[in-house]
Amino acid sequence: MSSITNQMQGDVLILGFTDVKILDSQRIELIGRELKEAVPDATNSRLLLNFRGVSFMSSAMITKLVMLNKHCKAQGVALKFCEVSPNVMEVFKITKLNKLFDIQDTEEKAIASFDKKGWFS
């Protein structure tokens, strides 16, 4: 059984999680592998990770997210997160990963933000 969901919306590949709590090390390995394998499916180099329903994740899962971020950068894929629960966001803030990851409130805002340019462009 897959540990992530996968859907296209326009030119954005949206991945979600099937688990509410991501704690088990074998499950985390599976999720990490599935996330990495999904990167080439982001045909227009736009990948959105939706955390809807995820209330907790272990530090091992956070490591997988950092690795996914590096993999996406290496492949030229823009990665964004959305609908991060307050508990998970707190961990991102403590670890300063909220500065590394592009985290949007809602799926709609995240999808729209792919088209936004920088300050001066």
Side-chain angles (χ1 to χ4, degrees):
M1 184 177 119
S2 180
S3 55
I4 59 172
T5 60
N6 177 327
Q7 75 176 56
M8 286 297 295
Q9 184 162 330
D11 60 356
V12 178
L13 175 63
I14 303 170
L15 302 178
F17 299 93
T18 58
D19 298 8
V20 173
K21 294 183 179 181
I22 306 173
L23 303 170
D24 178 69
S25 60
Q26 287 179 320
R27 193 77 172 152
I28 289 167
E29 285 301 315
L30 175 66
I31 292 169
R33 190 168 51 251
E34 288 181 0
L35 289 173
K36 188 174 179 183
E37 288 170 358
V39 171
D41 296 337
T43 50
N44 286 335
S45 301
R46 295 174 170 194
L47 180 60
L48 177 58
L49 207 50
N50 190 321
F51 285 79
R52 183 183 304 128
V54 176
S55 62
F56 189 81
M57 64 177 63
S58 74
S59 58
M61 185 62 220
I62 291 169
T63 302
K64 293 293 181 193
L65 295 174
V66 171
M67 299 301 287
L68 175 67
N69 189 57
K70 285 183 181 176
H71 183 67
C72 285
K73 277 195 178 7
Q75 302 296 318
V77 172
L79 174 65
K80 296 181 186 276
F81 294 175
C82 71
E83 299 192 29
V84 176
S85 73
N87 289 347
V88 174
M89 183 58 96
E90 190 63 29
V91 174
F92 286 162
K93 286 178 179 172
I94 290 168
T95 58
K96 303 275 192 267
L97 290 174
N98 61 318
K99 305 280 190 237
L100 174 69
F101 301 135
D102 184 341
I103 304 171
Q104 303 291 322
D105 293 337
T106 66
E107 192 171 282
E108 294 76 25
K109 282 184 184 176
I111 290 168
S113 74
F114 280 108
D115 292 324
K116 289 198 170 114
K117 303 289 185 238
W119 285 88
F120 300 108
S121 55

